[in-house]
Amino acid sequence: MRIPLIPVIIWIIINLAIDLYIYRVLKSRLPRNTFWRRLHLCLSVLLLAVIIVALALPIRSGNDSTLLTVNWLLFIYLTAYVPKYLYFLFDIISRIPRLLGFHRWKWLGRTGAVISIVMFFAFWWGTLINRFNIDVREVTVKIPGLPSQFDGYRIVQFSDFHVGSYGSNDSFVRDVVATVNALHPDAIFFTGDIVNRYTHELPPFVPAMKELYAPDGVLAILGNHDYGDYHSWPSPGAKQQNMEELYALFEKAGWKLLRNETSWLVRGNDSIAVIGVENIGDPPFPVYGSLSKAYPTIDDDKIKILLSHNPAHWVDSIADHPAVNVPLTLSGHTHAMQMSVGRISPASLRYKTWGGLYHDTDGIHQLYVNIGLGTVGLPMRLGATPEITLITLKPNS
């Protein structure tokens, strides 16, 4: 990931301007109290140093510790400046009456100060507490023509682990495994992004991954972060070696990795096809997947579940396509941008389908988007609690 220099410089200048504004507010409203002005000045200088260090560190070529350091430095910076933006906005609006010859709305400025303080603590709650609060969501999916042997079949879906964000501490991963196993699923599906940048992140977590159990096993696909595209490699061969090591670790963990291929769930004389495609999504994410390769006769009458990391694949190529007989697709990828309040999330500005269960206009195709377990970028989940989904299949009568 290359950080564009000019936008960053503009961003820093804007932040410095807000710092100057707040300094002048403190000076005018607390003229005899120099403590808060000095504290604000010292913290502003410290935060400027923090962002300079974060931008100077090599993100693509650095090791895991470098990436985690950058993420935490950026988080610290934003926890200070997002509340400052809010206060600045409220305080500027509170001055509008002065243009008409009236007094400033002091109550609005004070409201802005309170909201800013709440936002600061909300950010830290999101990183210290909420990003480890596992939320089990139970969903019933009705599928026309579902074989009777699969009535009540239980699937656990989880996604976007990004285990590199935990360093080598597998405590959260073990909590996830224990939670999944306690649901007693018939099958477990993982819908991509096991790592952040490369396979080296994964080995500390393989022993915990091996403890996942379901009678029909653990089926998995890759996400956009799993291909090594966010790391600088010395050669194409090194990148390919990284992938071979990843495949081997999936096998060691006992997870069946579907790379543009199909696996079958069998109950007596009935069966369901589980199609796993490699990453297919919207730009700038590279396309590695092929639905036609994974299942050439996609219009046949077999019941199928598609595992596809990016929900944009469903929007573009599955929904409202009568010739594509795939009644259920499971995806991840969005994280709900790690911020949500109920059904409100900034992810909706980017994705039509960012979390939960969706139907197309004809009702034939359904999509469930799991908002993931881990974090990428900022080590925080403000709302958007880590999700494990328990899906129960029922016939549509």
Side-chain angles (χ1 to χ4, degrees), residues 137 340-345 348 352-358 369 371:
R137 300 186 182 182
S340 69
V341 179
R343 291 301 300 168
I344 301 173
S345 169
S348 62
K352 297 178 181 178
T353 52
W354 59 268
L357 185 64
Y358 299 87
V369 181
I371 63 172

Side-chain angles (χ1 to χ4, degrees), residues 11 71-87 114-132 337-341 346 375 377-383:
W11 176 50
N71 289 344
W72 277 101
L73 290 176
L74 289 174
F75 175 73
I76 291 170
Y77 189 78
L78 287 175
T79 59
Y81 276 95
V82 170
K84 286 184 180 184
Y85 296 153
L86 288 172
Y87 176 76
V114 171
I115 291 176
S116 298
I117 293 171
V118 170
M119 179 59 69
F120 175 82
F121 285 105
F123 269 76
W124 283 99
W125 170 79
T127 192
L128 297 177
I129 299 174
N130 192 58
R131 73 182 177 121
F132 302 112
M337 288 190 178
Q338 295 168 208
M339 291 182 285
S340 69
V341 179
T375 60
L378 300 181
M380 174 199 74
R381 280 183 173 262
L382 190 58

Side-chain angles (χ1 to χ4, degrees), residues 25 111 159 164 166 186 199 225 229 259 267 283 299 308 333 359:
V25 167
T111 300
S159 192
Y166 309 113
D186 295 299
T199 303
H225 279 263
D229 291 328
R259 299 169 53 202
R267 286 286 186 274
D299 60 343
S308 184
H333 182 65
H359 301 76

Side-chain angles (χ1 to χ4, degrees), residues 111-185:
T111 300
V114 171
I115 291 176
S116 298
I117 293 171
V118 170
M119 179 59 69
F120 175 82
F121 285 105
F123 269 76
W124 283 99
W125 170 79
T127 192
L128 297 177
I129 299 174
N130 192 58
R131 73 182 177 121
F132 302 112
N133 281 340
I134 300 170
D135 180 22
V136 177
R137 300 186 182 182
E138 299 189 18
V139 179
T140 298
V141 175
K142 296 183 178 181
I143 297 178
L146 182 75
S148 59
Q149 293 284 346
F150 287 93
D151 185 356
Y153 192 85
R154 293 160 63 89
I155 296 168
V156 162
Q157 180 200 4
F158 65 105
S159 192
D160 298 84
F161 232 149
H162 295 281
V163 294
S165 300
Y166 309 113
S168 58
N169 186 341
D170 69 350
S171 299
F172 179 65
V173 175
R174 290 192 175 276
D175 287 345
V176 169
V177 170
T179 303
V180 171
N181 287 344
L183 295 173
H184 304 292

Side-chain angles (χ1 to χ4, degrees), residues 4-313:
L5 184 59
I6 293 178
V8 166
I9 291 175
I10 295 173
W11 176 50
I12 292 175
I13 291 173
I14 292 172
N15 290 347
L16 291 175
I18 290 176
D19 282 333
L20 178 60
Y21 177 88
I22 294 175
Y23 180 85
R24 295 185 67 176
V25 167
L26 291 172
K27 186 176 181 179
S28 65
R29 298 177 191 171
L30 301 171
R32 297 181 180 180
N33 192 334
T34 61
F35 171 78
W36 293 108
R37 295 203 303 274
R38 291 174 180 174
L39 178 62
H40 173 70
L41 182 60
C42 291
L43 290 177
S44 297
V45 172
L46 179 61
L47 288 168
L48 180 61
V50 163
I51 196 61
I52 290 174
V53 170
L55 296 176
L57 290 173
I59 299 177
R60 288 185 65 92
S61 58
N63 57 25
D64 295 342
S65 297
T66 301
L67 180 62
L68 290 177
T69 300
V70 170
N71 289 344
W72 277 101
L73 290 176
L74 289 174
F75 175 73
I76 291 170
Y77 189 78
L78 287 175
T79 59
Y81 276 95
V82 170
K84 286 184 180 184
Y85 296 153
L86 288 172
Y87 176 76
F88 171 77
L89 179 62
F90 275 84
D91 201 71
I92 284 291
I93 295 174
S94 75
R95 293 171 179 264
I96 291 177
R98 286 187 174 181
L99 300 176
L100 304 174
F102 298 101
H103 292 294
R104 181 177 67 89
W105 290 333
K106 293 182 180 180
W107 64 270
L108 189 59
R110 290 168 183 165
T111 300
V114 171
I115 291 176
S116 298
I117 293 171
V118 170
M119 179 59 69
F120 175 82
F121 285 105
F123 269 76
W124 283 99
W125 170 79
T127 192
L128 297 177
I129 299 174
N130 192 58
R131 73 182 177 121
F132 302 112
N133 281 340
I134 300 170
D135 180 22
V136 177
R137 300 186 182 182
E138 299 189 18
V139 179
T140 298
V141 175
K142 296 183 178 181
I143 297 178
L146 182 75
S148 59
Q149 293 284 346
F150 287 93
D151 185 356
Y153 192 85
R154 293 160 63 89
I155 296 168
V156 162
Q157 180 200 4
F158 65 105
S159 192
D160 298 84
F161 232 149
H162 295 281
V163 294
S165 300
Y166 309 113
S168 58
N169 186 341
D170 69 350
S171 299
F172 179 65
V173 175
R174 290 192 175 276
D175 287 345
V176 169
V177 170
T179 303
V180 171
N181 287 344
L183 295 173
H184 304 292
D186 295 299
I188 301 169
F189 297 160
F190 175 72
T191 45
D193 278 1
I194 191 70
V195 297
N196 286 330
R197 296 185 302 163
Y198 46 53
T199 303
H200 180 70
E201 303 165 22
L202 192 55
F205 306 97
V206 171
M209 293 164 58
K210 291 175 67 174
E211 296 179 11
L212 275 177
Y213 174 76
D216 289 335
V218 182
L219 302 180
I221 58 172
L222 299 178
N224 55 291
H225 279 263
D226 297 325
Y227 294 94
D229 291 328
Y230 304 107
H231 183 69
S232 296
W233 300 98
S235 68
K239 184 178 181 182
Q240 182 58 38
Q241 178 63 29
N242 171 76
M243 296 307 300
E244 296 299 330
E245 292 172 359
L246 184 66
Y247 304 149
L249 288 176
F250 269 102
E251 184 175 358
K252 184 177 180 180
W255 296 19
K256 184 175 181 179
L257 185 60
L258 301 179
R259 299 169 53 202
N260 295 326
E261 56 190 305
T262 297
S263 184
W264 292 87
L265 306 174
V266 178
R267 286 286 186 274
N269 295 324
D270 295 331
S271 61
I272 293 177
V274 180
I275 307 168
V277 295
E278 300 207 47
N279 194 63
I280 301 175
D282 51 342
F285 305 109
V287 173
Y288 294 96
S290 170
L291 181 56
S292 61
K293 180 180 178 182
Y295 198 98
T297 56
I298 201 64
D299 60 343
D300 68 20
D301 60 359
K302 300 292 185 182
I303 299 298
K304 310 174 194 68
I305 298 174
L306 172 65
L307 309 184
S308 184
H309 177 68
N310 192 326
H313 180 206

